[in-house]
Every structure is written in structure tokens, then in C-alpha cells.
């Protein structure tokens, strides 16, 4: 599993959020559609485990705890990452 493949998996879920109102229905939607026991949940869990094992997902450490940094501003799961500015 590469970082690009991981982002593609995330994009398959986040694209479903587009145009949805911020309401109680959206609040309940992730667990109802992609919660524990679903194919999506299993697939994303496996992707996270693979990324951590391969060292690119949890590539930071603090106090003996491995962690990852969230996407940088401007990152989108639905388009290429922004280029670095100098």
C-alpha cells in the first residue's frame, strides 16, 4: 500500500460528503454506512495498518508513541497535492 493508494481509498469515502448538508443526517452517516463491520471500515483499517507497518503513515514519534501528521492545508483527497512553494 502506497501513500497514493491510501489517499485514493480515503477519497472514495470523502467524495460521498460532497454537497451534503451539515445536519444530523450527516452526523449519523459515517457510522451507519462505513462503521465497524463494514467493508469500508475493514479496508481502511487494513490500509492504516499497512501504512504504519511500512513506516509512511506513522512516521513521527513522541515519547515512544508513533503518530502521524494530518494532511497539510490545501491537501485534497480529490486532486493532486499542492506543489511545495519556495
Amino acid at each position: 500500500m502506497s501513500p497514493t493508494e491510501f489517499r485514493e481509498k480515503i477519497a472514495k469515502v470523502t467524495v460521498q460528503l460532497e454537497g451534503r448538508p451539515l445536519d444530523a443526517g450527516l452526523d449519523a452517516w459515517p457510522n451507519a454506512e462505513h462503521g465497524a463491520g463494514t467493508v469500508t471500515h475493514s479496508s481502511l483499517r487494513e490500509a492504516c495498518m499497512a501504512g504504519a507497518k511500512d513506516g509512511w503513515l506513522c512516521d513521527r514519534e513522541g515519547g515512544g508513541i508513533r503518530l502521524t501528521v494530518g494532511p497539510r492545508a490545501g491537501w485534497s483527497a480529490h486532486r493532486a497535492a499542492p506543489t511545495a512553494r519556495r
Side-chain angles (χ1 to χ4, degrees):
M1 169 81 42
S2 71
T4 300
E5 292 169 321
F6 180 77
R7 283 190 292 271
E8 289 170 355
K9 282 186 177 286
I10 296 293
K12 288 179 182 177
V13 175
T14 59
V15 73
Q16 297 173 40
L17 297 170
E18 189 173 355
R20 294 182 64 125
L22 298 175
D23 60 11
L26 181 60
D27 184 42
W29 176 78
N31 285 328
E33 295 295 320
H34 304 292
T38 65
V39 173
T40 304
H41 181 275
S42 297
S43 176
L44 291 174
R45 183 180 187 284
E46 290 173 15
C48 288
M49 298 299 281
K53 181 178 178 259
D54 292 346
W56 56 262
L57 185 58
C58 296
D59 57 352
R60 308 284 195 281
E61 186 173 335
I65 299 171
R66 291 179 64 194
L67 53 107
T68 193
V69 176
R72 290 181 169 67
W75 180 84
S76 171
H78 309 289
R79 66 176 192 277
T83 57
R85 296 183 184 161
R86 293 181 183 203

